[in-house]
Amino acid sequence: MSETAASATEAAKKKPINPLLKLALEFGPLAVFFFANSYGDRLFGVASDRRIFVATGIFIAASLLSLALSKLLMNHLPRMAIVNAVVVTVFGGLTIALDDAFFIKVKPTIVNALFGCVLLGGLWFGRSLLALVLDAVLQLDEEGWRKLTLRWGLFFFVLAALNEVVWRTQTQDFWVAFKVWGVMPLTMIFALAQTPLILKHEIKRPEAGEA
């Protein structure tokens, strides 16, 4: 089977999903993490300084459930969701097993730094790896993919640095709130800010019936 035919077959297997449902699958585990950390002492009868451990266990379960629902609803597993779920499970497991919140706190640093390294490393070798993730959503020329990949790679490093600053200088509850209600809006604002670049380098698809 040719590469083009294989790509078409893979795309055909993917089920369309409501954007709001997709957002819920991505944001849901974080929201559950925030809720469990905020009310874990009242809901589960644990001491206030133990809420993070209860929340971490629930975060792991919610992340794996979200991954399973993604497979069920979309008939495929997004690459970034897989990486995130694996890292949450590993570092969340270490947090619980070693009774040390350090591991769950550095998880966002490691994930974002990893994504940044992958994207910028791909550019170093002449490949815009972001196109592999978003090619079903966006159609850009080579320069557009290169610029967009560079920007997202640098942005992931910014998020990694921000996470380090916040968890090392602020309270645990503030860090959890920032992780949920700070990082997501920052990411959405950054994504929207890329609209001019996307429009400039977008490859227009032929209109229906156009030769």
Side-chain angles (χ1 to χ4, degrees):
M1 180 183 293
S2 68
E3 184 177 346
T4 303
S7 299
T9 301
E10 182 180 354
K13 291 179 181 178
K14 297 180 181 180
K15 300 177 184 177
I17 184 173
N18 185 288
L20 292 178
L21 180 56
K22 187 174 186 295
L23 180 64
L25 289 173
E26 295 174 354
F27 186 66
L30 274 177
V32 170
F33 178 62
F34 172 79
F35 185 82
N37 182 74
S38 298
Y39 303 102
D41 49 348
R42 282 171 269 181
L43 292 175
F44 305 105
V46 298
S48 59
D49 61 342
R50 305 294 301 173
R51 291 176 301 172
I52 188 69
F53 299 102
V54 173
T56 297
I58 294 174
F59 189 26
I60 294 172
S63 297
L64 294 176
L65 177 61
S66 176
L67 202 61
L69 289 174
S70 295
K71 174 63 176 176
L72 179 65
L73 296 173
M74 296 186 289
N75 204 30
H76 82 289
L77 294 175
R79 294 181 182 90
M80 294 180 68
I82 294 173
V83 173
N84 189 64
V86 169
V87 177
V88 166
T89 301
V90 171
F91 282 83
L94 287 172
T95 295
I96 296 170
L98 300 178
D99 200 37
D100 190 343
F102 164 80
F103 296 100
I104 197 65
K105 290 178 180 178
V106 299
K107 191 276 296 182
T109 301
I110 292 173
V111 170
N112 287 313
L114 176 63
F115 287 153
C117 286
V118 168
L119 292 180
L120 297 185
L123 286 181
W124 179 266
F125 290 101
R127 297 197 64 187
S128 300
L129 298 179
L130 196 64
L132 298 178
V133 180
L134 299 178
D135 62 345
V137 180
L138 299 174
Q139 295 293 323
L140 305 180
D141 59 31
E142 185 176 346
E143 183 183 359
W145 279 123
R146 186 170 60 253
K147 290 180 178 179
L148 192 63
T149 300
L150 175 62
R151 292 184 183 185
W152 273 104
L154 294 175
F155 180 69
F156 280 127
F157 279 113
V158 169
L159 290 182
L162 276 176
N163 184 70
E164 284 297 295
V165 170
V166 172
W167 86 259
R168 291 179 184 276
T169 62
Q170 304 299 318
T171 65
Q172 188 164 275
D173 286 346
F174 183 93
W175 170 77
V176 173
F178 172 77
K179 177 177 170 62
V180 179
W181 308 114
V183 173
M184 180 63 73
L186 281 174
T187 303
M188 294 181 68
I189 291 170
F190 177 80
L192 289 173
Q194 307 316 305
T195 302
L197 172 67
I198 292 171
L199 293 177
K200 180 180 178 181
H201 294 279
E202 184 180 16
I203 299 175
K204 303 297 183 182
R205 296 179 179 178
E207 298 292 336
E210 183 177 324

